[in-house]
Amino acid sequence: MDNSYLIRLLKEISDIMAENRDHLIEMDSIVGDGDLGLTMGDGFKAAYEKAADGSVTDAGKLLYQAGKAMASAVPSTMGTLMASGLMQAGKVLKGTETLENADVAKIFEAYEAGVANRGKAKVGEKTFIDGIHPAVESLNAAAALGAPLEEMAAGAVKAAEDGFKSTTTMLAVHGRAATRGEASRSLEDPGAYVAVLIMKAFEKSTK
């Protein structure tokens, strides 16, 4: 695979965020300030548009530039976190022009690391990390077994969905939801749902 695959992946993420804008706004209005749908829609659209001309052959450079574009377009907390993921993936893939399945797993592993480092969040704290981390574990395990990309993606979607569902057992540690204390425990985390959407977009990009 070359960078045309990454452009397709970014397009699918941009599209799924646009399609789920209202749902994300609704979810976020319960635990946050209600702007998540706009942030994700505008941010990933900017990332895709930066990459779309296909002029960059270095996968790392493409992802890093996409992340910078997203950071400029949506300089909110969640926008910055998602952009940090793209930029970290860009750093890890610097110099790569041909992508193997293991490299795709590496993109999402680096994405998680970039978000976690910037947001100082850990698994179990009711955030995006609780959706993306199980997906990354699934991807790495499948890649190690030599699974086809489509199979890797399907497993990652299931893992992300399970992680998202588990956020209804967690106490919020970050953001406005944390001010609710024990009352935050039963709420679904919209950030973890963003991870589900990213994985669903990834699955679509493999078909």
Side-chain angles (χ1 to χ4, degrees), residues 2-57:
D2 59 17
N3 275 0
S4 62
Y5 170 71
L6 292 181
I7 294 169
R8 186 163 77 251
L9 173 61
L10 289 171
K11 177 69 163 62
E12 294 295 353
I13 297 173
S14 176
D15 286 351
I16 203 168
M17 294 304 168
E19 290 161 11
N20 286 271
R21 185 186 74 164
D22 291 345
H23 183 54
L24 288 171
I25 288 171
E26 184 180 344
M27 289 182 73
D28 192 43
S29 66
I30 298 170
V31 298
D33 52 17
D35 67 348
L36 184 62
L38 297 172
T39 300
M40 295 299 93
D42 293 348
F44 281 108
K45 182 183 180 192
Y48 163 67
E49 288 179 346
K50 181 65 178 178
D53 69 1
S55 62
V56 177
T57 57

Side-chain angles (χ1 to χ4, degrees), residues 134-139 142 148-162 199 202-203:
V136 167
E137 288 191 321
S138 174
L139 284 171
L149 197 61
E150 194 169 340
E151 186 178 310
M152 287 171 60
V157 169
K158 176 66 167 58
E161 287 177 334
D162 289 346
M199 288 302 141
F202 167 41
E203 184 178 33

Side-chain angles (χ1 to χ4, degrees), residues 1 5-6 9 63 85 88-90 92-93 96 98-114 132-153 156 198-199 202 205-206:
M1 294 178 287
Y5 170 71
L6 292 181
L9 173 61
L63 290 167
Q88 181 61 29
V92 169
L93 262 71
T96 303
T98 302
L99 296 168
E100 306 295 336
N101 289 0
D103 293 317
V104 178
K106 199 181 297 182
I107 287 171
F108 290 112
E109 184 175 43
Y111 197 102
E112 178 192 356
I132 195 76
H133 182 73
V136 167
E137 288 191 321
S138 174
L139 284 171
N140 284 337
L145 293 172
L149 197 61
E150 194 169 340
E151 186 178 310
M152 287 171 60
I198 289 174
M199 288 302 141
F202 167 41
S205 76
T206 67

Side-chain angles (χ1 to χ4, degrees), residues 165-181:
K165 290 171 186 172
S166 76
T167 64
T168 59
T169 67
M170 299 173 187
L171 200 63
V173 177
H174 303 272
R176 289 192 182 185
T179 64
R180 291 173 173 257

